[in-house]
Amino acid sequence: MTITKQSTKMNNNNNFDFSNLDDHPLLRVCVKQAFKNSINQKSNLSVPKAFKFNYNSCSTPHEHNLSLRSLNSNLPSSPTFLTRAKVGLISNPPELCEEGTGGTYFLKDSKNQNVAVFKPQNEDPLSVQNPKRTSSNSNFHFKGILPGEGSQREVFAYLIDNGFAGVPETRMAEICHWIFTNENGLPGDRSSNIQSKIGSVQEFQTNIQCSVDDMGAGLFSVLDVQKIAILDMLIFNCDRNGGNILVTKDSHKLIPIDHAFSLPDYKHLTDLQWFEWLTWRQVKKPVLQEIKDFINNLDMDSIISTATALKFRQECIFTLKLCYTFIKTALEHSKTLHEIGKLMCSTDSTHPSTFTQLVTTASEGIEDTSEIFNNFKQLVTSFFQ
């Protein structure tokens, strides 16, 4: 392979800029190392007209097939964190996160810094290829979400939030690497075949002090808490615990992550049993106007189209419609987020919430969701009067 002068350029500090090779991460690493070696050998480096080397000599078996590509063609071009993760795949393999019940990987940049979090579809808690799968996984209580559906929900939470509550940027992506699990759930090594995985990739958050598990809720702003609360109820987030709300340093701003267990199908609404923020003072205060505006300004037709494009099941999209209708009506009757949240949380599968009971009554003996929805709206209106 030949690298010409046009492949690199000198910046204002007389250092070489290799950004033109970002689409060829392995090549970029090799060229940078070659130039570094040249600099070590002679102080006055002149760029050769053509620089030749053996591409394969820079890699271990299969390494030239490592790749990362964004699958959201309708979104703007790949953000910086994806480019950095793509380059980092060569020298720094994804690192399996010790926490959680599924396959979650930290993606590194070329300096071995975390830049993204990748969740493959077929390594979520219920999947056979989950590297942490145990016999107890089969009793996972989120019955309304099927194996492989978590990553689409991660992306959907980012898109529906659109910067409101601060869900980090999230894309669908395909990553090819030898470290991922095979069909038996066994992780690979450098001698393993390349595994191609599709899943959600989210920008890694820096400047984090802790999660809300490690800090008193009294330090958080009313607006931050209410933003997360309204998002959680809208997407029927069944897994809002203290470990998946991050707290930034100094400002104590909240960042919500982990939305894989949201929007179960409407026949399994007892999956939702708790919100971490449910007893906090911030949600017992009157609902801020910004929160009301967020709900009132939602373009539900567009949101449903987004969910459809992400291949959500219709039963789960229907849950979204039910949540939106219930929340909007409750806000119109001046209910606090604490009151609405309590109405949506079941005690367990045998003690359903008020929200679940209304859906069950509306759908009794009926399969047509249009008819169920009309019945539900009438029941909700009557309930809040």
Side-chain angles (χ1 to χ4, degrees), residues 87 127 192 204 229 259 269 279 314 319 321 341 355-356 358:
V87 174
S127 297
S192 303
F204 182 81
H259 300 95
L269 298 177
T279 59
Q314 288 301 310
T319 297
K321 292 179 63 177
F355 175 75
T356 302
L358 291 172

Side-chain angles (χ1 to χ4, degrees), residues 107-156:
L107 303 184
K108 314 280 187 171
D109 64 8
S110 59
K111 298 179 181 179
N112 203 31
Q113 300 296 311
N114 291 336
V115 291
V117 179
F118 180 57
K119 296 183 179 182
Q121 287 179 338
N122 61 9
E123 293 190 26
D124 67 12
L126 293 177
S127 297
V128 174
Q129 295 190 30
N130 175 13
K132 302 175 184 176
R133 185 174 175 83
T134 65
S135 58
S136 62
N137 284 106
S138 59
N139 295 321
F140 209 62
H141 76 265
F142 299 129
K143 304 301 183 183
I145 301 166
L146 302 180
E149 291 186 335
S151 58
Q152 63 183 191
R153 283 154 169 76
E154 296 282 7
V155 176
F156 182 75

Side-chain angles (χ1 to χ4, degrees), residues 11-218:
N11 63 22
N12 293 333
N13 296 320
N14 292 324
N15 295 318
F16 283 98
D17 178 3
F18 299 94
S19 60
N20 288 352
L21 298 177
D22 280 348
D23 288 335
H24 307 280
L26 175 59
L27 190 56
R28 185 175 186 268
V29 170
C30 294
V31 173
K32 289 183 71 174
Q33 186 59 51
F35 273 104
K36 185 183 295 184
N37 292 341
S38 298
I39 291 171
N40 290 337
Q41 292 172 11
K42 53 190 296 187
S43 57
N44 296 318
L45 175 65
S46 60
V47 184
K49 290 183 179 179
F51 178 74
K52 297 183 179 182
F53 63 94
N54 185 348
Y55 183 91
N56 291 326
S57 69
C58 298
S59 62
T60 57
H62 306 302
E63 205 158 57
H64 56 282
N65 290 322
L66 305 183
S67 64
L68 183 159
R69 66 186 183 97
S70 175
L71 299 179
N72 293 111
S73 58
N74 59 321
L75 295 178
S77 57
S78 293
T80 301
F81 78 89
L82 280 186
T83 302
R84 292 174 63 193
K86 182 177 181 179
V87 174
L89 281 178
I90 304 305
S91 53
N92 301 303
E95 177 187 347
L96 181 65
C97 177
E98 295 181 358
E99 299 178 357
T101 55
T104 299
Y105 298 84
F106 295 121
L107 303 184
K108 314 280 187 171
D109 64 8
S110 59
K111 298 179 181 179
N112 203 31
Q113 300 296 311
N114 291 336
V115 291
V117 179
F118 180 57
K119 296 183 179 182
Q121 287 179 338
N122 61 9
E123 293 190 26
D124 67 12
L126 293 177
S127 297
V128 174
Q129 295 190 30
N130 175 13
K132 302 175 184 176
R133 185 174 175 83
T134 65
S135 58
S136 62
N137 284 106
S138 59
N139 295 321
F140 209 62
H141 76 265
F142 299 129
K143 304 301 183 183
I145 301 166
L146 302 180
E149 291 186 335
S151 58
Q152 63 183 191
R153 283 154 169 76
E154 296 282 7
V155 176
F156 182 75
Y158 163 69
L159 294 175
I160 193 174
D161 178 59
N162 195 28
F164 181 71
V167 177
E169 183 166 2
T170 313
R171 304 284 187 102
M172 289 296 291
E174 180 183 35
I175 302 181
C176 297
H177 206 282
W178 46 260
I179 201 167
F180 298 132
T181 59
N182 61 19
E183 62 275 9
N184 298 315
L186 300 176
D189 55 34
R190 290 183 180 273
S191 64
S192 303
N193 291 331
I194 293 289
Q195 300 292 332
S196 175
K197 302 275 183 169
I198 292 176
S200 64
V201 58
Q202 183 174 90
E203 184 173 14
F204 182 81
Q205 298 302 291
T206 58
N207 194 38
I208 298 301
Q209 179 172 337
C210 59
S211 70
V212 300
D213 271 341
D214 304 312
M215 183 174 287

